[in-house]
Amino acid sequence: MIYYKKNQVFEAVDENTERCVVTHSDEIMAVRVRFKEATSDVELHQHVEEQVTYVVRGKLKFFENEKEYLVEAGDMLRFAPNVPHGCIVLEPDSEVLDTFTPIRKDFL
């Protein structure tokens, strides 16, 4: 299957963040997440799904428990299930591609 960029619809998550569920099956989900502005606060969260994050553009600082990772376009991260994590956006117009397995039903 193919999912053309021109057909992808983003929804607002909050005033700075929007996401688009690009594709999903019963077992895997890909989600584009765009950030309008840089941020300074991080709220850690966790979920039962395993997550792989690919940085499409921009710079971000991710937090995982007590660890910090400075990442930029081309870098990838993986978060095991139930591990607290989150990020701050260091450059406006940053974007990531998150992949989850199993799917995040709360995103549908």
Side-chain angles (χ1 to χ4, degrees):
M1 299 183 97
I2 186 164
Y3 300 90
Y4 292 104
K5 180 174 64 173
K6 66 182 178 182
N7 297 327
Q8 295 172 19
V9 178
F10 283 80
E11 64 179 33
V13 175
D14 57 40
E15 58 188 38
N16 194 51
T17 310
E18 58 185 12
R19 74 173 165 233
C20 170
V21 176
V22 178
T23 185
H24 68 87
S25 67
D26 291 339
E27 298 176 5
I28 195 166
M29 170 184 275
V31 180
R32 290 177 62 193
V33 183
R34 299 191 299 209
F35 305 96
K36 297 175 186 173
E37 302 295 332
T39 60
S40 58
D41 294 328
V42 62
E43 288 188 32
L44 298 183
H45 67 281
Q46 62 189 56
H47 40 77
V48 299
E49 300 83 9
E50 185 168 10
Q51 176 179 339
V52 173
T53 297
Y54 173 77
V55 182
V56 176
R57 68 174 177 260
K59 291 184 181 178
L60 305 100
K61 184 186 286 189
F62 276 85
F63 301 85
E64 178 186 36
N65 288 323
E66 302 298 317
K67 300 176 187 171
E68 296 181 12
Y69 305 99
L70 184 61
V71 294
E72 60 185 19
D75 293 334
M76 294 182 76
L77 305 107
R78 185 180 64 81
F79 301 104
N82 299 309
V83 172
H85 63 279
C87 73
I88 58 173
V89 181
L90 301 176
E91 282 186 5
D93 299 318
S94 291
E95 180 177 343
V96 300
L97 177 65
D98 287 331
T99 305
F100 300 97
T101 185
I103 67 171
R104 293 281 308 258
K105 291 181 181 178
D106 57 320
F107 283 10
L108 297 177

